[in-house]
Amino acid sequence: AAVVEGASLVDGASLALSSASLALSSSATSLPLALGTNADVATLFSVATFCPQPLWLLMILAPKWRVTKAVVGSWWPVVGLSLVHLAVVLISATQTDGTAPILDFAKVFDATGFPFDDGPQRAMVAMMQYPNFVSEEWPHVLIWDFLVGRYVWLDGINRNIFTPHSVLLTNLIGPPGLLLHFATCLLTGRGLPPVQIPGDD
């Protein structure tokens, strides 16, 4: 649980701000020392989109199957998907004008008029014109969703709680799936997942 809570904190403004510096317009060309091309980024986008889906199906349709436990229970799928995301970031960073949208992205965190001004939302919408920004943000979301879905599944295995509905919802829309799992835990009398925080010595 502590891992997921930490991940949620990391998945905030600071991480998004650093990743935004890697966005790219579709017309940009590679630098002489580029690690890859825009075509590579597009390929990795597809990999990050489709490769996690069999893992989701295992957690939803066969949560207690030994194959599911062996595959999804390992850290390797998370590591592999994270490496795909890292490759998108590094390749995008070595493209011409790869850091150009960072000033535009800063507008997303402009708190002027908070909370009623729609400027931050409009700024985020404008960022979506950059293909490599989309290619970074999409795996960013998918991998965190998978990490949370895996956490829900593991909690279900460890405490014998039904989780397919919660895992499915996590795959579809993210955080509400975690809330559904918490509700399931409470309604079944199991209580919320334990939080393990080491005490001071």
Side-chain angles (χ1 to χ4, degrees):
V3 173
V4 174
E5 290 176 355
S8 298
L9 293 175
V10 171
D11 190 28
S14 59
L15 182 59
L17 184 60
S18 63
S19 66
S21 65
L22 307 176
L24 173 70
S25 66
S26 59
S27 61
T29 57
S30 301
L31 294 172
L33 297 179
L35 298 178
T37 66
N38 290 335
D40 295 326
V41 172
T43 298
L44 292 170
F45 179 92
S46 294
V47 170
T49 298
F50 295 108
C51 285
Q53 302 315 314
L55 304 176
W56 285 105
L57 288 176
L58 286 174
M59 291 189 291
I60 294 167
L61 299 178
K64 296 184 178 181
W65 189 26
R66 60 181 180 82
V67 174
T68 306
K69 294 178 179 179
V71 175
V72 185
S74 167
W75 279 111
W76 287 115
V78 177
V79 172
L81 293 171
S82 297
L83 288 173
V84 170
H85 178 264
L86 178 61
V88 171
V89 169
L90 293 177
I91 293 173
S92 298
T94 59
Q95 305 299 304
T96 301
D97 299 327
T99 60
I102 188 63
L103 295 179
D104 294 337
F105 191 81
K107 297 177 183 177
V108 176
F109 293 94
D110 182 357
T112 303
F114 173 83
F116 303 108
D117 180 55
D118 67 347
Q121 182 190 50
R122 287 186 286 104
M124 190 66 179
V125 170
M127 292 298 297
M128 294 302 172
Q129 68 179 297
Y130 300 101
N132 280 20
F133 177 77
V134 175
S135 296
E136 186 280 328
E137 284 296 301
W138 180 238
H140 182 154
V141 172
L142 291 180
I143 295 167
W144 283 132
D145 282 354
F146 175 72
L147 186 62
V148 175
R150 178 181 180 274
Y151 163 76
V152 170
W153 167 76
L154 280 173
D155 186 52
I157 293 295
N158 292 332
R159 299 198 294 149
N160 194 29
I161 300 171
F162 184 79
T163 60
H165 63 310
S166 302
V167 173
L168 175 61
L169 191 61
T170 302
N171 186 21
L172 294 176
I173 53 176
L178 181 62
L179 294 177
L180 180 59
H181 177 61
F182 287 167
T184 302
C185 293
L186 293 174
L187 291 173
T188 56
R190 300 304 177 88
L192 294 177
V195 178
Q196 299 177 351
I197 303 177
D200 296 332
D201 294 333

